[in-house]
mmCIF file of all heavy atoms in Angstrom:
data_model
loop_
_atom_site.group_PDB
_atom_site.id
_atom_site.type_symbol
_atom_site.label_atom_id
_atom_site.label_comp_id
_atom_site.label_asym_id
_atom_site.label_seq_id
_atom_site.Cartn_x
_atom_site.Cartn_y
_atom_site.Cartn_z
ATOM 1 N N PRO A 1413 116.624 124.155 101.312
ATOM 2 C CA PRO A 1413 117.451 122.944 101.228
ATOM 3 C C PRO A 1413 118.310 122.935 99.967
ATOM 4 O O PRO A 1413 118.068 123.713 99.028
ATOM 5 C CB PRO A 1413 116.404 121.832 101.180
ATOM 6 C CG PRO A 1413 115.242 122.471 100.490
ATOM 7 C CD PRO A 1413 115.217 123.886 100.970
ATOM 8 N N LYS A 1414 119.279 122.054 99.942
ATOM 9 C CA LYS A 1414 120.157 121.917 98.772
ATOM 10 C C LYS A 1414 119.352 121.503 97.545
ATOM 11 O O LYS A 1414 119.601 121.987 96.435
ATOM 12 C CB LYS A 1414 121.244 120.882 99.057
ATOM 13 C CG LYS A 1414 122.228 120.691 97.920
ATOM 14 C CD LYS A 1414 123.295 119.649 98.295
ATOM 15 C CE LYS A 1414 124.264 119.422 97.139
ATOM 16 N NZ LYS A 1414 125.278 118.383 97.489
ATOM 17 N N VAL A 1415 118.420 120.594 97.731
ATOM 18 C CA VAL A 1415 117.553 120.133 96.635
ATOM 19 C C VAL A 1415 116.112 120.504 96.968
ATOM 20 O O VAL A 1415 115.554 119.997 97.943
ATOM 21 C CB VAL A 1415 117.673 118.612 96.432
ATOM 22 C CG1 VAL A 1415 116.737 118.154 95.312
ATOM 23 C CG2 VAL A 1415 119.109 118.223 96.105
ATOM 24 N N LYS A 1416 115.531 121.389 96.184
ATOM 25 C CA LYS A 1416 114.139 121.775 96.406
ATOM 26 C C LYS A 1416 113.199 120.819 95.664
ATOM 27 O O LYS A 1416 113.623 120.070 94.779
ATOM 28 C CB LYS A 1416 113.898 123.215 95.956
ATOM 29 C CG LYS A 1416 114.553 124.241 96.876
ATOM 30 C CD LYS A 1416 114.010 125.638 96.620
ATOM 31 C CE LYS A 1416 114.538 126.616 97.656
ATOM 32 N NZ LYS A 1416 113.945 127.975 97.508
ATOM 33 N N ILE A 1417 111.945 120.876 96.016
ATOM 34 C CA ILE A 1417 110.935 120.000 95.403
ATOM 35 C C ILE A 1417 109.939 120.843 94.618
ATOM 36 O O ILE A 1417 109.358 121.792 95.141
ATOM 37 C CB ILE A 1417 110.187 119.185 96.473
ATOM 38 C CG1 ILE A 1417 111.162 118.282 97.238
ATOM 39 C CG2 ILE A 1417 109.084 118.342 95.819
ATOM 40 C CD1 ILE A 1417 110.517 117.530 98.390
ATOM 41 N N LYS A 1418 109.769 120.471 93.353
ATOM 42 C CA LYS A 1418 108.699 121.049 92.545
ATOM 43 C C LYS A 1418 107.463 120.159 92.694
ATOM 44 O O LYS A 1418 107.584 118.933 92.712
ATOM 45 C CB LYS A 1418 109.116 121.120 91.070
ATOM 46 C CG LYS A 1418 110.313 122.019 90.803
ATOM 47 C CD LYS A 1418 110.704 121.962 89.329
ATOM 48 C CE LYS A 1418 111.916 122.837 89.042
ATOM 49 N NZ LYS A 1418 112.357 122.693 87.624
ATOM 50 N N PHE A 1419 106.306 120.773 92.775
ATOM 51 C CA PHE A 1419 105.055 120.033 92.989
ATOM 52 C C PHE A 1419 104.179 120.212 91.754
ATOM 53 O O PHE A 1419 103.820 121.342 91.401
ATOM 54 C CB PHE A 1419 104.346 120.582 94.231
ATOM 55 C CG PHE A 1419 103.112 119.816 94.639
ATOM 56 C CD1 PHE A 1419 103.201 118.515 95.091
ATOM 57 C CD2 PHE A 1419 101.863 120.429 94.609
ATOM 58 C CE1 PHE A 1419 102.061 117.819 95.495
ATOM 59 C CE2 PHE A 1419 100.729 119.746 95.020
ATOM 60 C CZ PHE A 1419 100.834 118.443 95.460
ATOM 61 N N LYS A 1420 103.854 119.116 91.098
ATOM 62 C CA LYS A 1420 103.052 119.197 89.871
ATOM 63 C C LYS A 1420 101.813 118.330 90.012
ATOM 64 O O LYS A 1420 101.907 117.160 90.402
ATOM 65 C CB LYS A 1420 103.875 118.737 88.668
ATOM 66 C CG LYS A 1420 103.188 118.992 87.325
ATOM 67 C CD LYS A 1420 104.125 118.748 86.172
ATOM 68 C CE LYS A 1420 103.424 119.012 84.826
ATOM 69 N NZ LYS A 1420 102.954 120.414 84.707
ATOM 70 N N THR A 1421 100.665 118.887 89.683
ATOM 71 C CA THR A 1421 99.412 118.157 89.841
ATOM 72 C C THR A 1421 98.920 117.593 88.509
ATOM 73 O O THR A 1421 99.154 118.176 87.445
ATOM 74 C CB THR A 1421 98.316 119.058 90.438
ATOM 75 O OG1 THR A 1421 98.101 120.185 89.584
ATOM 76 C CG2 THR A 1421 98.716 119.549 91.822
ATOM 77 N N TYR A 1422 98.227 116.478 88.612
ATOM 78 C CA TYR A 1422 97.670 115.790 87.438
ATOM 79 C C TYR A 1422 96.200 115.488 87.729
ATOM 80 O O TYR A 1422 95.890 114.667 88.601
ATOM 81 C CB TYR A 1422 98.443 114.502 87.148
ATOM 82 C CG TYR A 1422 99.909 114.753 86.893
ATOM 83 C CD1 TYR A 1422 100.825 114.721 87.942
ATOM 84 C CD2 TYR A 1422 100.374 115.065 85.616
ATOM 85 C CE1 TYR A 1422 102.173 114.983 87.726
ATOM 86 C CE2 TYR A 1422 101.724 115.328 85.383
ATOM 87 C CZ TYR A 1422 102.612 115.291 86.450
ATOM 88 O OH TYR A 1422 103.938 115.555 86.231
ATOM 89 N N ASP A 1423 95.319 116.144 87.006
ATOM 90 C CA ASP A 1423 93.877 116.013 87.252
ATOM 91 C C ASP A 1423 93.315 114.839 86.453
ATOM 92 O O ASP A 1423 92.950 114.976 85.288
ATOM 93 C CB ASP A 1423 93.163 117.309 86.863
ATOM 94 C CG ASP A 1423 91.666 117.246 87.157
ATOM 95 O OD1 ASP A 1423 91.239 116.266 87.812
ATOM 96 O OD2 ASP A 1423 90.944 118.166 86.737
ATOM 97 N N SER A 1424 93.242 113.703 87.096
ATOM 98 C CA SER A 1424 92.731 112.491 86.440
ATOM 99 C C SER A 1424 91.218 112.420 86.461
ATOM 100 O O SER A 1424 90.625 111.578 85.787
ATOM 101 C CB SER A 1424 93.277 111.263 87.157
ATOM 102 O OG SER A 1424 92.767 111.208 88.486
ATOM 103 N N GLN A 1425 90.582 113.255 87.276
ATOM 104 C CA GLN A 1425 89.146 113.184 87.543
ATOM 105 C C GLN A 1425 88.740 111.790 88.019
ATOM 106 O O GLN A 1425 87.586 111.388 87.892
ATOM 107 C CB GLN A 1425 88.337 113.607 86.318
ATOM 108 C CG GLN A 1425 88.609 115.054 85.915
ATOM 109 C CD GLN A 1425 87.560 115.657 85.019
ATOM 110 O OE1 GLN A 1425 86.752 114.957 84.417
ATOM 111 N NE2 GLN A 1425 87.543 116.974 84.942
ATOM 112 N N GLY A 1426 89.708 111.079 88.559
ATOM 113 C CA GLY A 1426 89.424 109.754 89.106
ATOM 114 C C GLY A 1426 89.182 108.691 88.052
ATOM 115 O O GLY A 1426 88.727 107.593 88.369
ATOM 116 N N LYS A 1427 89.487 108.996 86.801
ATOM 117 C CA LYS A 1427 89.185 108.080 85.701
ATOM 118 C C LYS A 1427 90.481 107.466 85.167
ATOM 119 O O LYS A 1427 91.395 108.188 84.759
ATOM 120 C CB LYS A 1427 88.459 108.830 84.582
ATOM 121 C CG LYS A 1427 87.124 109.436 85.028
ATOM 122 C CD LYS A 1427 86.508 110.283 83.929
ATOM 123 C CE LYS A 1427 85.190 110.894 84.400
ATOM 124 N NZ LYS A 1427 84.610 111.802 83.378
ATOM 125 N N GLY A 1428 90.515 106.143 85.133
ATOM 126 C CA GLY A 1428 91.712 105.461 84.693
ATOM 127 C C GLY A 1428 92.130 105.837 83.294
ATOM 128 O O GLY A 1428 93.320 105.980 82.996
ATOM 129 N N GLU A 1429 91.139 106.028 82.395
ATOM 130 C CA GLU A 1429 91.479 106.352 81.007
ATOM 131 C C GLU A 1429 92.142 107.717 80.878
ATOM 132 O O GLU A 1429 92.838 107.981 79.898
ATOM 133 C CB GLU A 1429 90.235 106.270 80.122
ATOM 134 C CG GLU A 1429 89.111 107.239 80.460
ATOM 135 C CD GLU A 1429 88.099 106.652 81.439
ATOM 136 O OE1 GLU A 1429 88.494 105.798 82.253
ATOM 137 O OE2 GLU A 1429 86.926 107.065 81.385
ATOM 138 N N GLN A 1430 91.931 108.582 81.851
ATOM 139 C CA GLN A 1430 92.624 109.859 81.862
ATOM 140 C C GLN A 1430 93.918 109.767 82.664
ATOM 141 O O GLN A 1430 94.909 110.438 82.365
ATOM 142 C CB GLN A 1430 91.726 110.948 82.469
ATOM 143 C CG GLN A 1430 90.532 111.304 81.605
ATOM 144 C CD GLN A 1430 89.718 112.467 82.141
ATOM 145 O OE1 GLN A 1430 88.520 112.563 81.869
ATOM 146 N NE2 GLN A 1430 90.341 113.349 82.897
ATOM 147 N N ALA A 1431 93.898 108.937 83.675
ATOM 148 C CA ALA A 1431 95.051 108.847 84.575
ATOM 149 C C ALA A 1431 96.261 108.197 83.903
ATOM 150 O O ALA A 1431 97.403 108.620 84.135
ATOM 151 C CB ALA A 1431 94.664 108.060 85.835
ATOM 152 N N VAL A 1432 96.042 107.193 83.075
ATOM 153 C CA VAL A 1432 97.163 106.473 82.459
ATOM 154 C C VAL A 1432 98.003 107.377 81.555
ATOM 155 O O VAL A 1432 99.231 107.432 81.696
ATOM 156 C CB VAL A 1432 96.661 105.221 81.709
ATOM 157 C CG1 VAL A 1432 97.758 104.649 80.827
ATOM 158 C CG2 VAL A 1432 96.187 104.172 82.713
ATOM 159 N N PRO A 1433 97.405 108.117 80.603
ATOM 160 C CA PRO A 1433 98.253 109.020 79.805
ATOM 161 C C PRO A 1433 98.888 110.124 80.625
ATOM 162 O O PRO A 1433 99.984 110.599 80.299
ATOM 163 C CB PRO A 1433 97.292 109.568 78.740
ATOM 164 C CG PRO A 1433 95.918 109.300 79.248
ATOM 165 C CD PRO A 1433 96.011 108.082 80.094
ATOM 166 N N LEU A 1434 98.229 110.553 81.677
ATOM 167 C CA LEU A 1434 98.837 111.557 82.545
ATOM 168 C C LEU A 1434 100.082 110.996 83.224
ATOM 169 O O LEU A 1434 101.104 111.690 83.370
ATOM 170 C CB LEU A 1434 97.826 112.017 83.603
ATOM 171 C CG LEU A 1434 96.726 112.969 83.138
ATOM 172 C CD1 LEU A 1434 95.710 113.189 84.261
ATOM 173 C CD2 LEU A 1434 97.316 114.309 82.714
ATOM 174 N N ALA A 1435 99.995 109.730 83.642
ATOM 175 C CA ALA A 1435 101.158 109.091 84.263
ATOM 176 C C ALA A 1435 102.300 108.985 83.261
ATOM 177 O O ALA A 1435 103.475 109.201 83.601
ATOM 178 C CB ALA A 1435 100.777 107.711 84.783
ATOM 179 N N LYS A 1436 101.948 108.671 82.019
ATOM 180 C CA LYS A 1436 102.954 108.596 80.948
ATOM 181 C C LYS A 1436 103.681 109.934 80.803
ATOM 182 O O LYS A 1436 104.917 109.987 80.760
ATOM 183 C CB LYS A 1436 102.258 108.228 79.637
ATOM 184 C CG LYS A 1436 103.098 108.407 78.396
ATOM 185 C CD LYS A 1436 102.269 108.150 77.140
ATOM 186 C CE LYS A 1436 103.055 108.465 75.872
ATOM 187 N NZ LYS A 1436 102.253 108.239 74.658
ATOM 188 N N SER A 1437 102.918 111.001 80.772
ATOM 189 C CA SER A 1437 103.504 112.329 80.627
ATOM 190 C C SER A 1437 104.338 112.700 81.853
ATOM 191 O O SER A 1437 105.410 113.301 81.734
ATOM 192 C CB SER A 1437 102.400 113.364 80.418
ATOM 193 O OG SER A 1437 102.930 114.668 80.336
ATOM 194 N N ALA A 1438 103.845 112.329 83.012
ATOM 195 C CA ALA A 1438 104.564 112.653 84.252
ATOM 196 C C ALA A 1438 105.943 112.002 84.278
ATOM 197 O O ALA A 1438 106.919 112.601 84.726
ATOM 198 C CB ALA A 1438 103.737 112.199 85.457
ATOM 199 N N ILE A 1439 106.003 110.777 83.770
ATOM 200 C CA ILE A 1439 107.279 110.049 83.791
ATOM 201 C C ILE A 1439 108.223 110.535 82.700
ATOM 202 O O ILE A 1439 109.388 110.838 82.948
ATOM 203 C CB ILE A 1439 107.016 108.535 83.635
ATOM 204 C CG1 ILE A 1439 106.204 108.009 84.818
ATOM 205 C CG2 ILE A 1439 108.336 107.778 83.510
ATOM 206 C CD1 ILE A 1439 105.698 106.586 84.626
ATOM 207 N N THR A 1440 107.716 110.599 81.477
ATOM 208 C CA THR A 1440 108.603 110.868 80.347
ATOM 209 C C THR A 1440 108.869 112.356 80.117
ATOM 210 O O THR A 1440 109.953 112.732 79.684
ATOM 211 C CB THR A 1440 108.004 110.278 79.056
ATOM 212 O OG1 THR A 1440 106.730 110.879 78.809
ATOM 213 C CG2 THR A 1440 107.840 108.772 79.185
ATOM 214 N N LYS A 1441 107.908 113.194 80.390
ATOM 215 C CA LYS A 1441 108.062 114.628 80.112
ATOM 216 C C LYS A 1441 108.487 115.405 81.354
ATOM 217 O O LYS A 1441 109.422 116.207 81.310
ATOM 218 C CB LYS A 1441 106.747 115.197 79.567
ATOM 219 C CG LYS A 1441 106.817 116.686 79.236
ATOM 220 C CD LYS A 1441 105.464 117.178 78.721
ATOM 221 C CE LYS A 1441 105.495 118.677 78.464
ATOM 222 N NZ LYS A 1441 104.155 119.171 78.008
ATOM 223 N N ASP A 1442 107.792 115.148 82.454
ATOM 224 C CA ASP A 1442 108.056 115.936 83.659
ATOM 225 C C ASP A 1442 109.126 115.330 84.555
ATOM 226 O O ASP A 1442 109.559 115.964 85.509
ATOM 227 C CB ASP A 1442 106.750 116.103 84.450
ATOM 228 C CG ASP A 1442 105.679 116.815 83.636
ATOM 229 O OD1 ASP A 1442 106.051 117.655 82.795
ATOM 230 O OD2 ASP A 1442 104.486 116.531 83.842
ATOM 231 N N LYS A 1443 109.509 114.098 84.269
ATOM 232 C CA LYS A 1443 110.596 113.445 85.008
ATOM 233 C C LYS A 1443 110.332 113.398 86.517
ATOM 234 O O LYS A 1443 111.210 113.678 87.330
ATOM 235 C CB LYS A 1443 111.933 114.162 84.759
ATOM 236 C CG LYS A 1443 112.273 114.408 83.299
ATOM 237 C CD LYS A 1443 112.538 113.131 82.546
ATOM 238 C CE LYS A 1443 113.001 113.410 81.124
ATOM 239 N NZ LYS A 1443 113.160 112.185 80.322
ATOM 240 N N ILE A 1444 109.095 113.073 86.886
ATOM 241 C CA ILE A 1444 108.811 112.989 88.315
ATOM 242 C C ILE A 1444 109.664 111.908 88.953
ATOM 243 O O ILE A 1444 109.989 110.892 88.331
ATOM 244 C CB ILE A 1444 107.316 112.717 88.588
ATOM 245 C CG1 ILE A 1444 106.882 111.359 88.005
ATOM 246 C CG2 ILE A 1444 106.443 113.836 88.072
ATOM 247 C CD1 ILE A 1444 105.512 110.902 88.482
ATOM 248 N N VAL A 1445 110.019 112.124 90.214
ATOM 249 C CA VAL A 1445 110.763 111.098 90.955
ATOM 250 C C VAL A 1445 109.851 110.376 91.944
ATOM 251 O O VAL A 1445 110.289 109.445 92.633
ATOM 252 C CB VAL A 1445 111.965 111.695 91.700
ATOM 253 C CG1 VAL A 1445 112.945 112.308 90.708
ATOM 254 C CG2 VAL A 1445 111.507 112.738 92.729
ATOM 255 N N GLY A 1446 108.607 110.800 92.017
ATOM 256 C CA GLY A 1446 107.643 110.163 92.903
ATOM 257 C C GLY A 1446 106.266 110.729 92.654
ATOM 258 O O GLY A 1446 106.129 111.850 92.141
ATOM 259 N N LEU A 1447 105.237 109.950 92.971
ATOM 260 C CA LEU A 1447 103.861 110.400 92.776
ATOM 261 C C LEU A 1447 103.062 110.205 94.053
ATOM 262 O O LEU A 1447 103.069 109.114 94.632
ATOM 263 C CB LEU A 1447 103.194 109.607 91.645
ATOM 264 C CG LEU A 1447 101.748 110.014 91.339
ATOM 265 C CD1 LEU A 1447 101.716 111.366 90.614
ATOM 266 C CD2 LEU A 1447 101.036 108.954 90.484
#
Side-chain angles (χ1 to χ4, degrees):
K1414 182 179 178 182
V1415 179
K1416 289 195 173 185
I1417 299 175
K1418 297 177 181 176
F1419 186 66
K1420 189 170 180 61
T1421 59
Y1422 301 91
D1423 183 9
S1424 65
Q1425 298 198 343
K1427 299 174 181 176
E1429 62 269 29
Q1430 291 185 207
V1432 168
L1434 284 173
K1436 167 186 174 181
S1437 177
I1439 297 170
T1440 60
K1441 181 181 177 182
D1442 300 329
K1443 310 293 185 185
I1444 63 168
V1445 298
L1447 181 73

